[in-house]
Amino acid sequence: MRNTAGELGRNQGAERNDSARTLLTLAVRDYGDGDEGFTAGIDEQLDVVAEWWSSPVAAAGFHQIPAPTLTGRAHVEDFLRTHRVREMTGEALVLFITGHGVAGSRTHFLGLPDSERGRHLNTSVRTTDLITAALDSHAENVLVIVNTCYAGKISGEIDDLIEDIRAERRNSCQLDVLVTCGHDRPVQVRRFSTLLRGAFERLRTTAGITTPHLRVVDLMSEFERGLSPADRKKHRLHRVVDGSGVLAPTPCIPNPGYRRVREATGADGRHRSTPAGDHWLDRATGRTQDQDPGWYFRGREDLNRSIAAFLSPARARGVLLVTGSAGSGKSAVLARAVVLSDPAFRDDPLCKTALDLSASDTVPATGSITGAVLARHRGAAQLAHDILEALGETPRRVRSTEDPVVEAVQQILATLRDREEAVTLVIDGLDEADERQRIIEDVLAPLNEFCAPRLEQVPVPRPDGGPFAAPEPGLRLLIGVRSSRPLSEPSVELAEEEQGPNEALKAVFPTAEEQRTDDEASEKDIAEYLHALICEGGGHRESAEEAAGLVAPVVWPSFIDARIAGEQLRSAEDPAAVARQPEWQRMLNNGTEGLLKRDLVLVEADGLPSEVALALLRASAFAGGAGIPWSTIWPQMARVMLGETLPDWDEMITKLLKSRLNGYLAHDHEDDRRVYRPAHETLAEALRDAGTDWLDRGGAA
């Protein structure tokens, strides 16, 4: 099965623990001239470098080797020889050089306390000798950072020396060299440590880069963000050797903002990635905050029992549509099946909680789902490629004259024909796809060949006259799609222009079964969900029962409104007392809009102005794709929404993500960045509506 908990596949290779990573710090701290500020500045540099390269990216972290006290050239040569730098192997080697730099007529030197003026050839060290010792080692990837005065002078020297490194190594390894100033500029030693620390903090928080390692340009751009326009010529980083290019992350730069995600495997034991990020686990648990350890969804037994039966080994073919009105828990039901069927999650304490809460016949068989994909904001070609990857296949390249959708679907069909076992695919959020109609007609409709039930399994004779071939394996499709809730049985068929995606799917798959998530029984499920949310941690049990009974009939059939209401009530001293308040009841009757209005007022107590919080939420609603990245984009879009500039947008976003408003957001990954969007499309639509007066404070309780 595809991995169902986040972007794993592309990061897996970077997390191997069988390759050495080494950080060498060659720093000259004390020149015996009484300059305590210089020594303190060098120590500050070493502190931030040590912290950065100890970031917990992988099990095999960087082995850090600081140089001993260096006073003369012999000490430097002893250091290189003792640690066999020129013969060093491993996946990554980082060399950080800092101290006084000396610019000769054509050569740059690292000055030492015992260096003699006018005799740098014999008493100092040529900086390029240190650089090439690392570059021409046997390490697969090398990064050298030189922070000395006049370091830009190295550029002319290194160009000629690089040509003497064998072509095979230059072409197959990532070899990069950065210097911290131009050829004619000195270094302000404490300024560099401040700038490097700033880049470290931004990459740890606001940059939102999701890969375990960074590109060199990521480091350079975040470093430069800390510079004023007047300082850019003085303190910016310069790349004098470019061996990894613009697009490739290098194992030499760990990402301090990387969050290791849980590894999950499918029935075939392979790790898979998914564009849905944490979608499945978030939806399955019903949690309101990222990293919340609870499992809150309850009930839905008949619906879960039907899905488990559909996924049983006795069935090899079929289509099951899980449908319902907006926010009625379709994704939660599908995600529960995806997560609980994944063998990698079965031993997880979080899933054990869910299994303990569930009747055995409501739990899908282990490994019963081959792959799960999210259709939200995906085009037809993108979704077809996602399905191929879920099947463990790599999409073929297509010529410019070929239709990528047609070619991908043909590859899917060929893959299914070659399978000896039944295949099960989960597709969620089809109603939110960018090319919904083409997905239904050109991607899904051809799959009916494998989904339609066979009246009898007749052996198929082989063209070569050999033994009869076994019948083709089947395909089970489990699809989540929104539809309006009928108030009664329709007396006439809907006109074509009134048919939504659910009706279109039933036309394509005439034998499809349907399960709704918004029937009358779901009110009890919402009450149980609310009770579990409010009682998180074991408190409020009696008060929670009363509060859930008051709220469930009002928010039904919307689990999204229940989640938001539960998030508000769980933080109250007496949830039932709050739920009984007439003002809160009026707010609740306004659904998501009323709940959000109340929370926009309450977050002001956390130092987050209501109008700023609203601007940030609206910016996330207008973002395309999977969501909005933090970095510089979220602040810029929010500035437009607010109509004014703030000096501390990053602080405001931090407060938003730590506040009760975090429950209104979902997170995902796109283009190697962590992105944010409203937790449900109905909420996004409401936030995009310019006619809503969100800052009407009359609804606050």
Side-chain angles (χ1 to χ4, degrees), residues 165-205:
I165 297 176
R166 64 191 184 280
E168 179 186 1
R169 177 168 176 77
R170 294 199 312 270
N171 295 331
S172 62
C173 299
Q174 294 181 312
L175 309 177
D176 294 282
V177 179
L178 290 174
V179 298
T180 60
C181 61
H183 69 282
D184 59 349
R185 293 189 179 274
V187 166
Q188 296 180 22
V189 66
R190 305 193 89 156
R191 180 69 172 144
F192 175 74
S193 58
T194 300
L195 291 169
L196 193 63
R197 169 67 66 182
F200 173 80
E201 292 298 333
R202 284 187 292 276
L203 285 162
R204 190 177 62 82
T205 55

Side-chain angles (χ1 to χ4, degrees), residues 395-430:
R396 290 195 295 260
R397 291 186 179 182
V398 298
R399 301 185 183 91
S400 59
T401 56
E402 296 174 328
D403 186 330
V405 177
V406 173
E407 296 303 315
V409 169
Q410 290 302 314
Q411 188 179 353
I412 291 171
L413 297 177
T415 300
L416 292 175
R417 291 187 185 104
D418 289 341
R419 289 295 173 101
E420 297 180 355
E421 72 283 353
V423 171
T424 303
L425 293 175
V426 175
I427 302 174
D428 190 22
L430 185 60

Side-chain angles (χ1 to χ4, degrees), residues 374-378 428-430 432-434 623 625-627 677-678 681 684:
L374 180 60
R376 183 183 189 274
H377 289 325
R378 308 296 279 177
D428 190 22
L430 185 60
E432 299 178 45
D434 287 342
R677 67 172 184 269
E681 186 59 27

Side-chain angles (χ1 to χ4, degrees), residues 460-515:
V460 181
R462 288 174 47 173
D464 59 4
F468 283 109
E472 291 180 356
L475 170 65
R476 295 179 298 199
L477 283 178
L478 187 55
I479 302 175
V481 59
R482 184 192 305 180
S483 67
S484 58
R485 188 172 68 87
L487 297 177
S488 62
E489 289 297 324
S491 57
V492 295
E493 291 187 3
L494 293 173
E496 183 176 348
E497 62 270 17
E498 296 176 317
Q499 292 183 358
N502 192 49
E503 286 73 27
L505 284 168
K506 287 191 284 189
V508 166
F509 301 109
T511 60
E513 304 168 48
E514 181 181 88
Q515 291 286 337

Side-chain angles (χ1 to χ4, degrees), residues 131 135 158-159 162 175-178 238-244:
I131 296 172
L135 295 183
I158 203 70
D159 286 345
I162 284 291
L175 309 177
D176 294 282
V177 179
L178 290 174
H238 301 265
R239 194 173 186 175
V240 297
V241 176
D242 177 0
S244 60

